[in-house]
Structures are given as C-alpha cells and as structure tokens.
Amino acid sequence: MPHPLASGDAGLLSLFLGNVGGSLGETSALALLIGGVFLLVLGLISWHTPVAYLGGLAVLELIYTLATGGEMSQVLYALLSGGVILGAFFMATDYVTTPITGTGKLIFGLGCAVLTFVIREFASMPEGCSFSILLMNLLTPYIDKLTMTHPFGAKPAEKKEAK
C-alpha cells in the first residue's frame, strides 16, 4: 500500500527521479538532493537542520509504520513525496528566520519533523511541511535564547544607578 501522500500509484523510483506530477519540490527528489548537497559543499547552509528534519521525520514515520503494521516503504514515501526535501534544504535553512547555533538548528529541525509528521498523519491537511516551518519560525527567538552560549568568564553587565 503506497503512502497516502504519494501521487496516485507512483513508485519510489518515480518519486526519486521526478517522473510524477506535482509542484516544485514534489517531483524530483534527486534534483533537490543535488541542490542541497551543493549548498552544503559551498558552506551556504549547515547540515544541522536538514539532517534533523529528514532524520527526525524518518524515525517518526518508522515508529508509526511499525506500530500500525504498515509497509517499510511508507517511510521512503514520506521522505520522497511532498515538499519535505525542498523544505529541509531550502526553506528551513533560511538565515533570517531560523536559529543561530548548531544546537538550535537541531532543535528547529526536529520540531519541524514532529509538526510535519503530526499534520500529515493526524490532520486533514494533505501536506504539512511549509506550515511546520512557519510554526517553528515563531519559536526561533526562544530556541536562540535557550541555546545561546556565553563566553567563559564573562560577567553580566552591571546596571548603572540613577543619580
């Protein structure tokens, strides 16, 4: 049984190569992966968010598949169909709206994975990638505050008293 997100009866190879209909990000996973690796090699993005997003979603789908007695191919369908690869490499790595620290980026990616999984499996929406990234963008200031490091030996600034 193919994953409900897959376009019709599209096979995994068709999803990977882009031989299915859909909007940008829903067609060729191969082209998106090449573009994502290109951004990583050039140092324009870090690995933290894409790995946490795709890895977290894969683990959640695997647990859900095992719990519901589904086929293992559903995990790959979840990664290859929809806009997850586009979201992981090109949307969730935006400089302005995502956390600064590596730990913050990991938390951000995992949060996106959890929200995408919940929206896809339990909501009436067909796709949750973009919506999950937008929701996690709201939490970015709090993730930054939680994960921001302070220089060793630094003392907090003293407040000046009014005269």
Side-chain angles (χ1 to χ4, degrees), residues 40-115:
L40 287 167
V41 169
L42 289 179
L44 297 174
I45 62 172
S46 70
W47 61 269
H48 300 85
T49 302
V51 168
Y53 195 169
L54 296 174
L57 185 61
V59 168
L60 289 169
E61 286 288 344
L62 177 64
I63 292 169
Y64 186 71
T65 299
L66 292 173
T68 59
E71 297 178 18
M72 287 298 149
S73 63
Q74 288 180 314
V75 177
L76 290 174
Y77 272 108
L79 294 175
L80 296 176
S81 62
V84 174
I85 296 175
L86 177 73
F89 284 103
F90 299 97
M91 293 166 52
T93 56
D94 178 50
Y95 298 129
V96 178
T97 59
T98 56
I100 297 170
T101 64
T103 305
K105 291 176 184 181
L106 288 172
I107 293 169
F108 184 86
L110 287 173
C112 288
V114 168
L115 288 171

Side-chain angles (χ1 to χ4, degrees), residues 15 30 35 43 58 71 74 77 87 96 112 115 130-131 137-138 148 159-160 162:
L15 286 171
L30 176 62
E71 297 178 18
Q74 288 180 314
Y77 272 108
V96 178
C112 288
L115 288 171
S130 299
F131 195 60
N137 284 342
L138 293 171
M148 197 63 73
K159 294 182 180 180
K160 295 183 180 179

Side-chain angles (χ1 to χ4, degrees), residues 3-5 57 61 77-79 81-84 115-123 125-129:
H3 194 274
L5 294 174
L57 185 61
E61 286 288 344
Y77 272 108
L79 294 175
S81 62
V84 174
L115 288 171
T116 300
F117 172 77
V118 169
I119 291 169
R120 281 181 165 187
E121 298 295 341
F122 304 111
M125 298 169 60
E127 176 64 5
C129 178

